């Protein structure tokens, strides 16, 4: 069995300049054995999706602290669909009210959303449960 690593793009969209949490998550995912690309601050949804496709990632993780989550997540999903890249999962985190989390997930605008206090075990486990089995190839 040949196993390829999970590839994740961590994106920081909009004008929000607080990226400490995104960098902590990126490092945590790297330490868990994933390949991580960090897109940097002030990215548009278009730039995030473009980078995700170019880097052939399995998952986009978006950090949103600005309150624009109800616009950003649907836009990223729309762009993924337009680019026939719906196989790329979208998760996120930040200061997102519970009712908005429910709305975004139920509408299919994100597969998972984590808020402050989520543990590294919880986040890594969710990613591995979703992606690891699909990354195994029988040789």
């Amino acid at each position: 069995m040949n196993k390829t690593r999970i590839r994740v793009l961590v994106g920081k969209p909009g004008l929000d300049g607080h990226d400490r949490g995104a960098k902590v998550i990126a490092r945590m995912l790297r330490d868990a054995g994933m390949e991580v690309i960090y897109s940097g601050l002030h990215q548009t949804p278009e730039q995030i999706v473009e980078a995700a496709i170019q880097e052939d990632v399995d998952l986009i993780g978006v950090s949103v602290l600005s309150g624009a989550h109800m616009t950003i997540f649907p836009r990223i999903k729309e762009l993924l669909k337009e680019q026939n890249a719906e196989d790329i999962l979208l998760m996120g985190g930040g200061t997102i009210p519970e009712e908005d989390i429910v709305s975004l997930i139920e509408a299919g605008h994100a597969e998972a959303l984590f808020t402050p206090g989520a543990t590294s075990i919880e986040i890594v486990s969710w990613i591995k449960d979703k992606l690891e089995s699909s990354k195994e190839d029988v040789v």
Side-chain angles (χ1 to χ4, degrees), residues 44-61:
T44 66
E46 290 79 6
Q47 290 170 315
I48 289 169
V49 169
E50 174 90 13
I53 292 168
Q54 287 178 359
E55 293 288 347
D56 193 26
V57 300
D58 304 296
L59 171 76
I60 298 171

Side-chain angles (χ1 to χ4, degrees), residues 53-104:
I53 292 168
Q54 287 178 359
E55 293 288 347
D56 193 26
V57 300
D58 304 296
L59 171 76
I60 298 171
V62 179
S63 171
V64 180
L65 299 172
S66 65
H69 51 273
M70 296 302 283
T71 303
I72 290 170
F73 286 99
R75 181 65 181 145
I76 290 173
K77 276 297 204 175
E78 178 185 354
L79 291 165
L80 288 170
K81 184 175 183 176
E82 287 174 8
Q83 296 294 320
N84 295 317
E86 293 173 283
D87 58 323
I88 299 174
L89 297 180
L90 177 61
M91 66 171 245
T95 52
I96 304 171
E98 184 62 35
E99 60 271 13
D100 291 349
I101 290 172
V102 171
S103 288
L104 288 166

Side-chain angles (χ1 to χ4, degrees), residues 1-138:
M1 215 176 272
N2 180 24
K3 194 170 179 176
T4 32
R5 291 171 45 176
I6 293 171
R7 292 179 57 85
V8 180
L9 175 85
V10 174
K12 194 68 180 136
L15 299 176
D16 178 8
H18 302 282
D19 66 345
R20 183 172 182 202
K23 288 178 178 177
V24 168
I25 294 295
R27 182 174 210 136
M28 177 205 35
L29 298 178
R30 187 206 63 197
D31 290 349
M34 299 176 204
E35 290 185 46
V36 180
I37 299 99
Y38 175 58
S39 68
L41 288 169
H42 310 301
Q43 299 294 296
T44 66
E46 290 79 6
Q47 290 170 315
I48 289 169
V49 169
E50 174 90 13
I53 292 168
Q54 287 178 359
E55 293 288 347
D56 193 26
V57 300
D58 304 296
L59 171 76
I60 298 171
V62 179
S63 171
V64 180
L65 299 172
S66 65
H69 51 273
M70 296 302 283
T71 303
I72 290 170
F73 286 99
R75 181 65 181 145
I76 290 173
K77 276 297 204 175
E78 178 185 354
L79 291 165
L80 288 170
K81 184 175 183 176
E82 287 174 8
Q83 296 294 320
N84 295 317
E86 293 173 283
D87 58 323
I88 299 174
L89 297 180
L90 177 61
M91 66 171 245
T95 52
I96 304 171
E98 184 62 35
E99 60 271 13
D100 291 349
I101 290 172
V102 171
S103 288
L104 288 166
I105 291 174
E106 284 180 355
H109 298 308
E111 279 74 38
L113 296 167
F114 299 94
T115 55
T119 67
S120 58
I121 293 169
E122 181 183 3
I123 297 167
V124 169
S125 293
W126 181 86
I127 293 170
K128 287 185 174 183
D129 287 347
K130 284 290 189 182
L131 292 171
E132 208 162 60
S133 62
S134 68
K135 298 297 287 177
E136 294 179 359
D137 302 314
V138 177

